Amino acid sequence: MRVAIAGAGAVGRSIAGELLENGHEILLIDKAPSAISVERVPLAEWLLADACEITSLDEAALQRCNVVIAATGDDKVNLVVSLLAKTEYGVPRVVARVNNPKNEWLFNESWGVDVAVSTPRLMSALVEEAVSVGDLVRLLRFSHGDANLVELTLPPESAVTGTQVGDVSWPEDTSLVTIIRGTRVLTPHPEETLEAGDELLFVAAQAREEQLEDLLSVRHPETP
């Protein structure tokens, strides 16, 4: 998979290193000569250019990329790169870094963004996830379809604790994608039994989050 990363700062280089280890082809783009540190990520391609300029993106052959990551420290730049990647070059997947949470509402499909990653929001979500049991925590927002990646640690008093996945009436527009149990990552087969302390990861429509939280965190009293 070919991935272009706009922004060769610490964030961009870290992403590049991870993706290179997974066997992907990486192009790092930055307009600041001081950011071009080939020795730090020697296996990547490097391009000294302004990623907001069409001529630069032509030189980068952005139409050949499967993914573009807008990872600069400037939200305006990340939005422009995302829009150009999607509308001018038809890149299938565009991921954008959100530096200021106040700008998060802009990072949607209107600007060509498929996935918006807000570092401050993600850090606060991980803190909440570490201390909250029975509360739904939003980890990541997907622009298309108004869906989010959400997590909930199943409490012992949940109505679904001890129930098989296939027997739970999940809300519409909700998909259980992973069960994390201790150090194990489990595929949620219908016959898998949910246990207290399981970390459940869902892709869910935002409108269904409250319904999902009610289902998982509350054990409803039995009707006499």
Side-chain angles (χ1 to χ4, degrees), residues 7 35-36 46 69 80 96 107 109 118 126 138 143 169 189 196 212:
I36 305 300
W46 289 79
I69 301 173
V80 171
F107 285 74
E109 61 181 336
S118 171
L126 291 173
R138 186 180 299 168
S143 298
S169 297
H189 296 297
L212 179 62

Side-chain angles (χ1 to χ4, degrees), residues 133-134 152-159 161 195-198 216-219:
V133 175
L152 184 140
T153 300
L154 200 63
E157 65 273 16
S158 170
T161 299
E195 298 181 4
D198 283 351
L216 296 173
S217 61
V218 178
R219 182 179 292 277

